[in-house]
Amino acid sequence: MRKLLVAGNWKMHGRLSQNEELMNSLFQQLPALSESIDILVCPPSIYLDQIKRLVDGRLIGVGAQNVSCFELDGAHTGEYSASMLADLGVSYVLIGHSERRSEQHESNDQVAIKLKNALKAGLVPLLCVGETLAEREAGLVENVIADQLSIAFAGLDSDELSRVVVAYEPVWAIGTGKTATPEQAQHVHAYIREFVAGGFGSELSLNMKILYGGSVKAANAEELFKQPDIDGGLIGGAALVTEEFTAICRAAANSPKYG
Ligand code: PEP
């Protein structure tokens, strides 16, 4: 049975006081839910320590939005490594988010290095994959996903891969208000699971969490989470609004799938 995961990606939003307010309202509303699903928040990296302290052992995970390609300490101004995140007590990290792929020109090869570094440091990586609208319209969805996955997974052994969470995030659905239909999302999730089964066996594939991301909100979460291969969501804009994020977590906790 796969436990559903709802992860909030705060992107470049927040201030000390706003973060504290948001976390306090999540603590009030989420405790009962955090026993049946995994809940994670990914604030901007400079606030990770603040959020870790606020969480203070409660059942909410803390993740970073990025990590360096450099593994070892050195002259890399502005970078922070996977082992620094682990040192801070951070347990998850987003890898290859489409905003980083497009704005920072992060390549599939860099994503693969980050994934390996994160695993080596004991972090749980959330590997983001997804196609652009042009790629979808050209009928290339599966090719794009297969490329992104095969480059990211090259050289990983089964034990490493078993710690990876994949997030399918169609680029055209991120921050646009356009959500993939539950059927469109399910189709790609099933493809990802088959792809993993083909390379690494069905047991690993059946245990892998595959999240959907792209304009998930309270109004569409339930239908998405009912799909057999959707194991939760990576939530951007709605993660900054307590009522929305809580309702999305509730939809995951109430999912009839494994009940
Ligand atoms: C995201 O940041 O990964 C995301 C899916 O954003 P949004 O929910 O705002 O589309």
Side-chain angles (χ1 to χ4, degrees):
M1 188 196 286
R2 298 184 296 267
K3 196 174 183 187
L4 272 69
L5 167 64
V6 177
N9 173 16
W10 293 5
K11 312 195 190 206
M12 199 173 82
H13 292 286
R15 293 291 185 276
L16 291 170
S17 58
Q18 284 169 20
N19 301 344
E20 191 165 347
E21 224 174 280
L22 179 56
M23 290 308 291
N24 284 337
S25 51
L26 293 180
F27 296 144
Q28 279 171 8
Q29 305 205 30
L30 291 177
L33 304 178
S34 58
E35 282 163 24
S36 48
I37 58 168
D38 289 324
I39 300 174
L40 166 67
V41 292
C42 303
S45 56
I46 58 162
Y47 295 125
L48 283 166
D49 188 49
Q50 179 204 13
I51 303 302
K52 270 301 295 173
R53 286 170 199 269
L54 288 169
V55 165
D56 191 25
R58 293 174 178 91
L59 286 176
I60 293 185
V62 180
Q65 298 174 17
N66 180 39
V67 66
S68 180
C69 277
F70 295 108
E71 187 188 1
L72 303 177
D73 292 12
H76 309 301
T77 304
E79 295 288 292
Y80 54 90
S81 65
S83 67
M84 288 174 177
L85 291 174
D87 186 40
L88 208 58
V90 166
S91 28
Y92 293 81
V93 59
L94 305 183
I95 308 266
H97 190 281
S98 73
E99 285 153 14
R100 295 203 58 83
R101 290 179 189 262
S102 63
E103 293 173 355
Q104 312 299 328
H105 311 293
E106 245 177 44
S107 66
N108 280 333
D109 290 333
Q110 287 171 315
V111 167
I113 294 169
K114 291 180 180 206
L115 187 67
K116 283 188 189 65
N117 290 349
L119 287 165
K120 211 163 158 189
L123 304 173
V124 176
L126 266 71
L127 170 69
C128 303
V129 297
E131 80 287 358
T132 62
L133 187 58
E135 288 163 342
R136 174 164 282 265
E137 285 173 351
L140 293 173
V141 177
E142 294 180 359
N143 307 54
V144 170
I145 303 288
D147 270 1
Q148 291 173 335
L149 292 178
S150 56
I151 296 172
F153 292 165
L156 296 188
D157 60 30
S158 302
D159 175 57
E160 289 168 318
L161 194 68
S162 69
R163 292 188 279 130
V164 175
V165 175
V166 172
Y168 168 56
E169 298 209 300
V171 178
W172 48 272
I174 298 179
T176 58
K178 284 187 206 153
T179 317
T181 64
E183 295 71 30
Q184 281 173 322
Q186 166 57 29
H187 179 85
V188 180
H189 280 236
Y191 173 75
I192 293 171
R193 211 174 290 289
E194 260 169 49
F195 180 94
V196 173
F200 296 88
S202 58
E203 193 184 333
L204 195 149
S205 147
L206 285 172
N207 285 325
M208 176 177 269
K209 280 187 211 202
I210 308 176
L211 312 185
Y212 170 77
S215 299
V216 177
K217 35 191 181 284
N220 57 26
E222 193 183 327
E223 282 308 309
L224 287 161
F225 298 161
K226 268 188 200 159
Q227 302 302 312
D229 289 296
I230 300 185
D231 306 316
L234 179 52
I235 320 298
L240 299 168
V241 183
T242 308
E243 296 69 33
E244 280 286 315
F245 191 64
T246 312
I248 293 167
C249 290
R250 204 174 302 117
N254 293 338
S255 164
K257 250 187 312 192
Y258 310 114

